Amino acid sequence: MPGTLYLVPTPIGNLGDISRRMADTLAQVDFLAVEDTRVTVKLLNHLGLKKPMVTYHRHNATPAGEAILRRLLAGEHCALVTDAGTPAISDPGEELVALCAANGVPVLAIPGPCALVTALSVSGLPTARFTFEGFLPQNKKNRRAHLDSLAGEVRTMLFYEAPHKLSATLSDLAETFGPQRPITLCRELTKLHEEVWRTTLGEAAAHYQSQEPRGEFVLVVEGAPPAVQEADPQAALELVAQLRAEGLSLKEAAAQAAPQFGLKKKQLYDLALGK
Ligand code: SAM
């Protein structure tokens, strides 16, 4: 019987975010697959644990993934941890999970710290529908194409960014979405100098042109306002007829239907009268 691959999130800054289940899982598994042993050893020391570790990162994902799979198939249990936050979210893990799934190895995800969810929840921007964009491409052409593809995005957008690239990214975002577009910059979440700044892209870009950014950032950008439905007089007249059949006066029906079709109520009223 194969062992289980556990996806174990780690704190994104505050050790108080270590959960009982996370600590128990790290203690119980046979070995850990880690992004960087030097980072994980600090966490293990904090928990008073000593565990065998193998590295699993983006430069060795294929050979290391296969070696981990062999051990799982032989019945060992493994916990995958990255330097901070949830594995497989802009971090190593995606390929290993797919490999396990394809080979009948159970994968169990333990919920825990994740910068994007933390930022979205505190952003003050709409949370019902959102798109996580991770890090923007570095290549200029791919980056432009990616931003252009987001130009009409109506959902809240989340981006990860490193401090030394923040200023350029804010300028690119302001250029794409306009300087008035609301943004929430979430800096150093869960840490001592945590900061949440709700502003506009223009203000944020200007601020970080003169101020050196410090720490880690999640950028939460409001989506575009939904496009007003294109004026469609025929559909508007159909709705007016339907509302009239339901007992509304022509004036009431025109007033109710017009905004839904980008028309003025007088305009629709006249149209319905054949003027
Ligand atoms: N897997 C992680 C997660 O679950 O959030 C993300 C890892 S990704 C390599 C690192 C990026 O996450 C940083 O560049 C930053 O954009 C964001 N991040 C991580 N910790 C953060 C924090 N404490 N405050 C703000 N952003 C953070």
Side-chain angles (χ1 to χ4, degrees):
M1 207 171 124
T4 297
L5 175 71
Y6 294 89
L7 307 177
V8 179
T10 55
I12 56 170
N14 189 327
L15 288 176
D17 293 333
I18 296 173
S19 72
R20 165 91 49 91
R21 194 163 170 227
M22 173 198 153
D24 288 350
T25 306
L26 292 181
Q28 283 158 15
V29 292
D30 298 297
F31 71 104
L32 310 183
V34 309
E35 191 177 3
D36 184 336
T37 51
R38 291 163 302 181
V39 175
T40 303
V41 89
K42 287 186 197 153
L43 183 71
L44 293 179
N45 287 343
H46 177 81
L47 294 170
L49 294 174
K50 267 199 163 97
K51 299 298 287 189
M53 289 188 263
V54 297
T55 55
Y56 180 79
H57 47 69
R58 64 192 170 103
H59 302 296
N60 73 351
T62 305
E66 277 159 17
I68 294 165
L69 176 68
R70 279 195 294 277
R71 292 180 69 171
L72 286 160
L73 287 171
E76 287 189 84
H77 298 287
C78 171
L80 176 66
V81 300
T82 57
D83 291 351
T86 300
I89 305 299
S90 290
D91 259 347
E94 182 182 321
E95 292 93 343
L96 186 57
V97 173
L99 192 65
C100 288
N103 285 276
V105 171
V107 181
L108 220 144
I110 295 182
C114 183
L116 88 98
V117 177
T118 312
L120 178 65
S121 62
V122 78
S123 68
L125 296 175
T127 58
R129 299 183 69 221
F130 64 91
T131 164
F132 173 53
E133 298 298 322
F135 292 96
L136 280 169
Q138 292 191 38
N139 168 286
K140 243 184 167 181
K141 202 167 144 218
N142 296 346
R143 187 180 173 90
R144 179 43 46 211
H146 190 91
L147 285 169
D148 287 348
S149 78
L150 290 173
E153 178 57 68
V154 295
R155 294 170 295 182
T156 299
M157 293 166 275
L158 288 108
F159 302 88
Y160 281 168
E161 196 47 286
H164 64 283
K165 298 198 195 117
L166 183 79
S167 175
T169 293
L170 288 171
S171 301
D172 287 348
L173 292 174
E175 193 188 314
T176 307
F177 303 118
Q180 297 308 325
R181 181 71 69 87
I183 177 174
T184 301
L185 294 96
C186 301
R187 190 174 78 86
E188 296 288 79
L189 291 167
T190 77
K191 301 185 195 177
L192 188 63
H193 299 293
E194 172 165 354
E195 190 180 80
V196 175
W197 182 26
R198 301 181 184 92
T199 182
T200 60
L201 280 171
E203 291 277 337
H207 176 79
Y208 281 110
Q209 249 156 35
S210 57
Q211 180 102 5
E212 197 192 328
R214 295 235 167 89
E216 299 195 272
F217 287 82
V218 182
L219 309 176
V220 191
V221 179
E222 187 165 319
V228 177
Q229 205 167 344
E230 238 173 68
D232 180 351
Q234 195 47 45
L237 286 172
E238 280 165 23
L239 181 57
V240 168
Q242 188 190 320
L243 293 170
R244 296 274 282 136
E246 288 168 14
L248 267 65
S249 70
L250 177 58
K251 199 172 159 195
E252 289 164 339
Q256 197 168 314
Q260 298 180 45
F261 294 91
L263 295 166
K264 296 211 163 24
K265 59 184 176 189
K266 172 83 168 71
Q267 200 183 358
L268 184 54
Y269 181 87
D270 287 348
L271 264 175
L273 288 176
K275 286 192 189 170

Short mmCIF file of all heavy atoms in Angstrom, two decimals, residues 9-14 35 82-92 112-119 132 134-135 159-163 185-191 194-195 215-219, ligand 1:
data_model
loop_
_atom_site.label_atom_id
_atom_site.label_comp_id
_atom_site.label_asym_id
_atom_site.label_seq_id
_atom_site.Cartn_x
_atom_site.Cartn_y
_atom_site.Cartn_z
N PRO A 9 1.38 23.54 4.76
CA PRO A 9 1.72 24.96 4.68
C PRO A 9 2.55 25.38 5.89
O PRO A 9 2.43 24.78 6.96
CB PRO A 9 0.36 25.67 4.71
CG PRO A 9 -0.66 24.61 4.61
CD PRO A 9 -0.04 23.34 5.08
N THR A 10 3.37 26.39 5.69
CA THR A 10 4.19 26.90 6.80
C THR A 10 3.91 28.41 6.94
O THR A 10 3.39 29.03 6.00
CB THR A 10 5.68 26.66 6.53
OG1 THR A 10 6.00 27.24 5.27
CG2 THR A 10 5.99 25.17 6.50
N PRO A 11 4.24 29.01 8.08
CA PRO A 11 3.91 30.43 8.29
C PRO A 11 4.51 31.34 7.21
O PRO A 11 5.62 31.09 6.72
CB PRO A 11 4.54 30.73 9.64
CG PRO A 11 4.58 29.41 10.34
CD PRO A 11 4.84 28.40 9.27
N ILE A 12 3.79 32.42 6.87
CA ILE A 12 4.33 33.39 5.91
C ILE A 12 5.01 34.55 6.67
O ILE A 12 5.24 35.61 6.11
CB ILE A 12 3.25 33.92 4.94
CG1 ILE A 12 2.05 34.53 5.68
CG2 ILE A 12 2.79 32.82 3.98
CD1 ILE A 12 1.08 35.29 4.78
N GLY A 13 5.31 34.33 7.92
CA GLY A 13 6.01 35.37 8.68
C GLY A 13 5.85 35.22 10.18
O GLY A 13 6.77 35.54 10.93
N ASN A 14 4.71 34.71 10.60
CA ASN A 14 4.42 34.67 12.03
C ASN A 14 4.36 33.22 12.50
O ASN A 14 3.47 32.46 12.09
CB ASN A 14 3.07 35.37 12.26
CG ASN A 14 2.78 35.58 13.72
OD1 ASN A 14 3.17 34.76 14.56
ND2 ASN A 14 2.10 36.65 14.04
N GLU A 35 11.88 22.74 0.12
CA GLU A 35 12.44 23.63 -0.91
C GLU A 35 13.89 23.97 -0.56
O GLU A 35 14.76 23.97 -1.42
CB GLU A 35 11.56 24.90 -0.96
CG GLU A 35 11.83 25.79 -2.12
CD GLU A 35 10.88 26.98 -2.17
OE1 GLU A 35 10.04 27.15 -1.26
OE2 GLU A 35 10.99 27.76 -3.13
N THR A 82 7.34 24.13 1.71
CA THR A 82 8.15 25.11 0.99
C THR A 82 8.68 26.12 2.01
O THR A 82 8.45 25.98 3.21
CB THR A 82 7.32 25.79 -0.12
OG1 THR A 82 6.17 26.39 0.47
CG2 THR A 82 6.90 24.78 -1.17
N ASP A 83 9.35 27.17 1.53
CA ASP A 83 9.96 28.11 2.48
C ASP A 83 8.90 28.86 3.28
O ASP A 83 9.10 29.16 4.45
CB ASP A 83 10.84 29.12 1.73
CG ASP A 83 12.09 28.45 1.17
OD1 ASP A 83 12.33 27.27 1.50
OD2 ASP A 83 12.81 29.10 0.39
N ALA A 84 7.79 29.18 2.65
CA ALA A 84 6.72 29.90 3.35
C ALA A 84 5.41 29.74 2.60
O ALA A 84 5.40 29.78 1.37
CB ALA A 84 7.06 31.39 3.46
N GLY A 85 4.35 29.55 3.33
CA GLY A 85 3.03 29.47 2.71
C GLY A 85 2.66 28.08 2.23
O GLY A 85 3.24 27.08 2.67
N THR A 86 1.70 28.03 1.32
CA THR A 86 1.13 26.77 0.87
C THR A 86 1.90 26.20 -0.31
O THR A 86 2.10 26.91 -1.31
CB THR A 86 -0.35 27.01 0.48
OG1 THR A 86 -1.05 27.48 1.64
CG2 THR A 86 -1.02 25.73 0.01
N PRO A 87 2.33 24.92 -0.22
CA PRO A 87 3.03 24.31 -1.35
C PRO A 87 2.15 24.35 -2.60
O PRO A 87 0.92 24.31 -2.51
CB PRO A 87 3.25 22.86 -0.90
CG PRO A 87 3.16 22.89 0.58
CD PRO A 87 2.20 24.00 0.92
N ALA A 88 2.77 24.42 -3.75
CA ALA A 88 2.11 24.37 -5.06
C ALA A 88 1.42 25.69 -5.44
O ALA A 88 0.83 25.78 -6.51
CB ALA A 88 1.10 23.21 -5.17
N ILE A 89 1.48 26.69 -4.57
CA ILE A 89 0.91 28.00 -4.91
C ILE A 89 2.08 28.96 -5.13
O ILE A 89 2.70 29.43 -4.17
CB ILE A 89 -0.02 28.53 -3.78
CG1 ILE A 89 -1.11 27.52 -3.44
CG2 ILE A 89 -0.63 29.89 -4.18
CD1 ILE A 89 -2.05 27.16 -4.59
N SER A 90 2.41 29.19 -6.41
CA SER A 90 3.63 29.93 -6.78
C SER A 90 4.84 29.36 -6.05
O SER A 90 5.75 30.11 -5.66
CB SER A 90 3.51 31.43 -6.50
OG SER A 90 2.60 32.03 -7.36
N ASP A 91 4.85 28.10 -5.82
CA ASP A 91 5.90 27.38 -5.11
C ASP A 91 5.95 25.96 -5.66
O ASP A 91 4.97 25.51 -6.27
CB ASP A 91 5.54 27.31 -3.60
CG ASP A 91 6.32 28.33 -2.80
OD1 ASP A 91 7.29 28.90 -3.33
OD2 ASP A 91 5.96 28.55 -1.62
N PRO A 92 7.04 25.21 -5.40
CA PRO A 92 7.10 23.83 -5.89
C PRO A 92 5.97 22.98 -5.32
O PRO A 92 5.52 23.21 -4.19
CB PRO A 92 8.44 23.33 -5.36
CG PRO A 92 9.23 24.55 -5.05
CD PRO A 92 8.26 25.62 -4.70
N GLY A 112 -3.78 26.07 5.57
CA GLY A 112 -2.92 26.91 6.41
C GLY A 112 -2.55 28.20 5.71
O GLY A 112 -3.20 28.59 4.74
N PRO A 113 -1.46 28.85 6.18
CA PRO A 113 -1.11 30.17 5.66
C PRO A 113 -0.92 30.20 4.14
O PRO A 113 -0.30 29.32 3.57
CB PRO A 113 0.22 30.47 6.35
CG PRO A 113 0.21 29.65 7.59
CD PRO A 113 -0.55 28.41 7.24
N CYS A 114 -1.47 31.24 3.55
CA CYS A 114 -1.33 31.46 2.11
C CYS A 114 -1.46 32.97 1.90
O CYS A 114 -2.48 33.55 2.28
CB CYS A 114 -2.41 30.70 1.36
SG CYS A 114 -2.24 30.86 -0.42
N ALA A 115 -0.43 33.58 1.31
CA ALA A 115 -0.41 35.04 1.21
C ALA A 115 -1.60 35.57 0.39
O ALA A 115 -2.17 36.61 0.71
CB ALA A 115 0.91 35.50 0.60
N LEU A 116 -1.97 34.85 -0.67
CA LEU A 116 -3.01 35.41 -1.53
C LEU A 116 -4.37 35.46 -0.84
O LEU A 116 -5.10 36.45 -0.97
CB LEU A 116 -3.07 34.65 -2.87
CG LEU A 116 -3.93 33.42 -3.03
CD1 LEU A 116 -5.25 33.79 -3.69
CD2 LEU A 116 -3.23 32.40 -3.89
N VAL A 117 -4.71 34.43 -0.10
CA VAL A 117 -6.02 34.40 0.57
C VAL A 117 -6.03 35.44 1.70
O VAL A 117 -7.01 36.16 1.90
CB VAL A 117 -6.33 32.99 1.11
CG1 VAL A 117 -7.65 32.99 1.87
CG2 VAL A 117 -6.40 31.99 -0.04
N THR A 118 -4.91 35.54 2.41
CA THR A 118 -4.81 36.52 3.50
C THR A 118 -4.99 37.93 2.93
O THR A 118 -5.75 38.75 3.48
CB THR A 118 -3.43 36.39 4.19
OG1 THR A 118 -3.19 35.03 4.47
CG2 THR A 118 -3.37 37.19 5.47
N ALA A 119 -4.33 38.20 1.80
CA ALA A 119 -4.41 39.54 1.19
C ALA A 119 -5.81 39.83 0.67
O ALA A 119 -6.36 40.91 0.89
CB ALA A 119 -3.39 39.65 0.05
N PHE A 132 -6.18 34.76 -9.55
CA PHE A 132 -4.83 34.81 -9.00
C PHE A 132 -3.84 34.74 -10.16
O PHE A 132 -3.82 33.76 -10.90
CB PHE A 132 -4.62 33.64 -8.04
CG PHE A 132 -3.20 33.53 -7.55
CD1 PHE A 132 -2.56 34.62 -6.96
CD2 PHE A 132 -2.50 32.34 -7.67
CE1 PHE A 132 -1.25 34.53 -6.52
CE2 PHE A 132 -1.19 32.24 -7.22
CZ PHE A 132 -0.56 33.34 -6.65
N GLY A 134 -0.41 35.27 -9.79
CA GLY A 134 0.94 34.91 -9.36
C GLY A 134 1.94 36.02 -9.74
O GLY A 134 1.62 37.21 -9.67
N PHE A 135 3.14 35.61 -10.15
CA PHE A 135 4.15 36.58 -10.60
C PHE A 135 3.94 36.85 -12.09
O PHE A 135 3.76 35.90 -12.86
CB PHE A 135 5.56 36.02 -10.40
CG PHE A 135 5.94 35.87 -8.96
CD1 PHE A 135 5.79 34.64 -8.31
CD2 PHE A 135 6.46 36.94 -8.24
CE1 PHE A 135 6.14 34.50 -6.98
CE2 PHE A 135 6.80 36.80 -6.89
CZ PHE A 135 6.65 35.58 -6.27
N PHE A 159 -1.74 39.70 -7.53
CA PHE A 159 -0.40 39.49 -8.07
C PHE A 159 0.58 39.34 -6.91
O PHE A 159 0.47 40.05 -5.91
CB PHE A 159 0.05 40.70 -8.90
CG PHE A 159 -0.86 41.03 -10.05
CD1 PHE A 159 -1.96 41.87 -9.88
CD2 PHE A 159 -0.63 40.50 -11.32
CE1 PHE A 159 -2.80 42.18 -10.95
CE2 PHE A 159 -1.47 40.80 -12.38
CZ PHE A 159 -2.56 41.64 -12.20
N TYR A 160 1.55 38.44 -7.08
CA TYR A 160 2.69 38.39 -6.17
C TYR A 160 3.80 39.24 -6.79
O TYR A 160 3.93 39.27 -8.02
CB TYR A 160 3.20 36.95 -6.02
CG TYR A 160 2.39 36.08 -5.07
CD1 TYR A 160 2.59 34.71 -5.03
CD2 TYR A 160 1.45 36.63 -4.20
CE1 TYR A 160 1.87 33.89 -4.16
CE2 TYR A 160 0.73 35.82 -3.33
CZ TYR A 160 0.94 34.46 -3.32
OH TYR A 160 0.23 33.67 -2.45
N GLU A 161 4.59 39.90 -5.96
CA GLU A 161 5.73 40.64 -6.52
C GLU A 161 6.86 40.77 -5.53
O GLU A 161 6.63 40.89 -4.32
CB GLU A 161 5.27 42.03 -7.01
CG GLU A 161 6.27 42.70 -7.92
CD GLU A 161 6.81 41.79 -9.04
OE1 GLU A 161 7.64 40.89 -8.76
OE2 GLU A 161 6.43 41.96 -10.20
N ALA A 162 8.09 40.70 -6.07
CA ALA A 162 9.29 40.89 -5.24
C ALA A 162 9.53 42.39 -5.10
O ALA A 162 9.22 43.15 -6.03
CB ALA A 162 10.48 40.23 -5.92
N PRO A 163 10.11 42.83 -3.97
CA PRO A 163 10.24 44.28 -3.74
C PRO A 163 11.04 45.00 -4.83
O PRO A 163 10.66 46.11 -5.22
CB PRO A 163 10.95 44.36 -2.38
CG PRO A 163 11.36 42.97 -2.02
CD PRO A 163 10.55 42.02 -2.83
N LEU A 185 -2.39 47.34 -1.45
CA LEU A 185 -1.04 46.76 -1.35
C LEU A 185 -0.91 46.13 0.03
O LEU A 185 -1.06 46.84 1.04
CB LEU A 185 0.04 47.83 -1.53
CG LEU A 185 0.11 48.46 -2.92
CD1 LEU A 185 -0.68 49.75 -2.96
CD2 LEU A 185 1.55 48.73 -3.32
N CYS A 186 -0.67 44.83 0.07
CA CYS A 186 -0.54 44.11 1.34
C CYS A 186 0.92 43.76 1.53
O CYS A 186 1.47 42.97 0.78
CB CYS A 186 -1.39 42.85 1.32
SG CYS A 186 -3.13 43.19 1.05
N ARG A 187 1.54 44.39 2.53
CA ARG A 187 2.98 44.24 2.72
C ARG A 187 3.27 43.54 4.04
O ARG A 187 2.62 43.84 5.06
CB ARG A 187 3.60 45.64 2.74
CG ARG A 187 5.10 45.67 2.69
CD ARG A 187 5.58 47.10 2.56
NE ARG A 187 5.53 47.78 3.84
CZ ARG A 187 6.51 47.75 4.74
NH1 ARG A 187 7.61 47.09 4.50
NH2 ARG A 187 6.38 48.39 5.88
N GLU A 188 4.20 42.60 4.01
CA GLU A 188 4.67 41.95 5.23
C GLU A 188 3.53 41.38 6.09
O GLU A 188 3.50 41.56 7.31
CB GLU A 188 5.50 42.95 6.06
CG GLU A 188 6.79 43.40 5.39
CD GLU A 188 7.85 42.32 5.36
OE1 GLU A 188 7.76 41.43 4.48
OE2 GLU A 188 8.75 42.36 6.20
N LEU A 189 2.60 40.73 5.43
CA LEU A 189 1.44 40.17 6.13
C LEU A 189 1.87 39.25 7.26
O LEU A 189 2.81 38.45 7.09
CB LEU A 189 0.56 39.39 5.14
CG LEU A 189 -0.17 40.25 4.10
CD1 LEU A 189 -0.74 39.37 2.99
CD2 LEU A 189 -1.28 41.07 4.74
N THR A 190 1.19 39.35 8.36
CA THR A 190 1.39 38.56 9.59
C THR A 190 2.68 38.91 10.33
O THR A 190 2.98 38.33 11.36
CB THR A 190 1.37 37.01 9.35
OG1 THR A 190 2.63 36.60 8.79
CG2 THR A 190 0.23 36.55 8.48
N LYS A 191 3.48 39.86 9.79
CA LYS A 191 4.77 40.19 10.43
C LYS A 191 4.63 41.48 11.25
O LYS A 191 3.59 42.15 11.21
CB LYS A 191 5.85 40.36 9.37
CG LYS A 191 6.07 39.12 8.51
CD LYS A 191 7.22 39.30 7.57
CE LYS A 191 7.22 38.24 6.49
NZ LYS A 191 8.27 38.42 5.51
N GLU A 194 3.58 44.67 9.32
CA GLU A 194 2.47 44.44 8.39
C GLU A 194 1.79 45.76 8.03
O GLU A 194 1.60 46.63 8.88
CB GLU A 194 1.45 43.50 9.05
CG GLU A 194 0.18 43.35 8.28
CD GLU A 194 -0.67 42.15 8.74
OE1 GLU A 194 -0.22 41.38 9.59
OE2 GLU A 194 -1.78 42.03 8.22
N GLU A 195 1.46 45.92 6.75
CA GLU A 195 0.83 47.16 6.29
C GLU A 195 -0.17 46.85 5.18
O GLU A 195 0.14 46.08 4.27
CB GLU A 195 1.94 48.05 5.73
CG GLU A 195 1.56 49.46 5.42
CD GLU A 195 2.78 50.20 4.88
OE1 GLU A 195 3.10 50.03 3.69
OE2 GLU A 195 3.42 50.92 5.67
N GLY A 215 10.28 44.51 1.95
CA GLY A 215 9.43 43.41 2.38
C GLY A 215 8.71 42.74 1.22
O GLY A 215 8.97 43.00 0.05
N GLU A 216 7.75 41.89 1.59
CA GLU A 216 7.04 41.10 0.59
C GLU A 216 5.66 41.71 0.35
O GLU A 216 5.02 42.19 1.29
CB GLU A 216 6.89 39.66 1.08
CG GLU A 216 8.23 39.01 1.31
CD GLU A 216 8.09 37.52 1.43
OE1 GLU A 216 7.87 37.05 2.55
OE2 GLU A 216 8.20 36.83 0.40
N PHE A 217 5.24 41.65 -0.91
CA PHE A 217 3.97 42.31 -1.29
C PHE A 217 3.02 41.37 -2.02
O PHE A 217 3.44 40.59 -2.87
CB PHE A 217 4.25 43.46 -2.27
CG PHE A 217 4.88 44.66 -1.67
CD1 PHE A 217 6.26 44.70 -1.46
CD2 PHE A 217 4.12 45.77 -1.31
CE1 PHE A 217 6.87 45.82 -0.91
CE2 PHE A 217 4.72 46.89 -0.77
CZ PHE A 217 6.10 46.92 -0.56
N VAL A 218 1.74 41.52 -1.70
CA VAL A 218 0.68 41.01 -2.58
C VAL A 218 -0.09 42.23 -3.05
O VAL A 218 -0.44 43.10 -2.25
CB VAL A 218 -0.27 40.04 -1.85
CG1 VAL A 218 -1.32 39.51 -2.83
CG2 VAL A 218 0.48 38.87 -1.23
N LEU A 219 -0.32 42.30 -4.36
CA LEU A 219 -1.07 43.41 -4.94
C LEU A 219 -2.47 42.93 -5.29
O LEU A 219 -2.62 41.93 -6.00
CB LEU A 219 -0.37 43.91 -6.21
CG LEU A 219 1.13 44.21 -6.05
CD1 LEU A 219 1.74 44.62 -7.38
CD2 LEU A 219 1.34 45.31 -5.02
N1 SAM B 1 3.32 29.59 -1.49
C1 SAM B 1 3.28 30.95 -0.97
C2 SAM B 1 1.84 31.23 -0.51
O1 SAM B 1 1.13 30.31 -0.19
O2 SAM B 1 1.46 32.38 -0.44
C3 SAM B 1 3.81 31.96 -1.95
C4 SAM B 1 5.24 31.79 -2.31
S1 SAM B 1 5.82 32.94 -3.48
C5 SAM B 1 7.38 32.24 -3.90
C6 SAM B 1 6.34 34.31 -2.50
C7 SAM B 1 5.47 35.55 -2.72
O3 SAM B 1 4.32 35.48 -1.88
C8 SAM B 1 6.16 36.85 -2.32
O4 SAM B 1 6.93 37.37 -3.38
C9 SAM B 1 4.97 37.75 -2.01
O5 SAM B 1 4.40 38.25 -3.21
C10 SAM B 1 3.99 36.75 -1.39
N2 SAM B 1 4.17 36.72 0.08
C11 SAM B 1 4.67 35.72 0.83
N3 SAM B 1 4.65 36.05 2.14
C12 SAM B 1 4.12 37.27 2.22
C13 SAM B 1 3.84 38.17 3.29
N4 SAM B 1 4.12 37.84 4.55
N5 SAM B 1 3.28 39.36 3.01
C14 SAM B 1 2.99 39.70 1.74
N6 SAM B 1 3.24 38.92 0.69
C15 SAM B 1 3.80 37.72 0.91
#
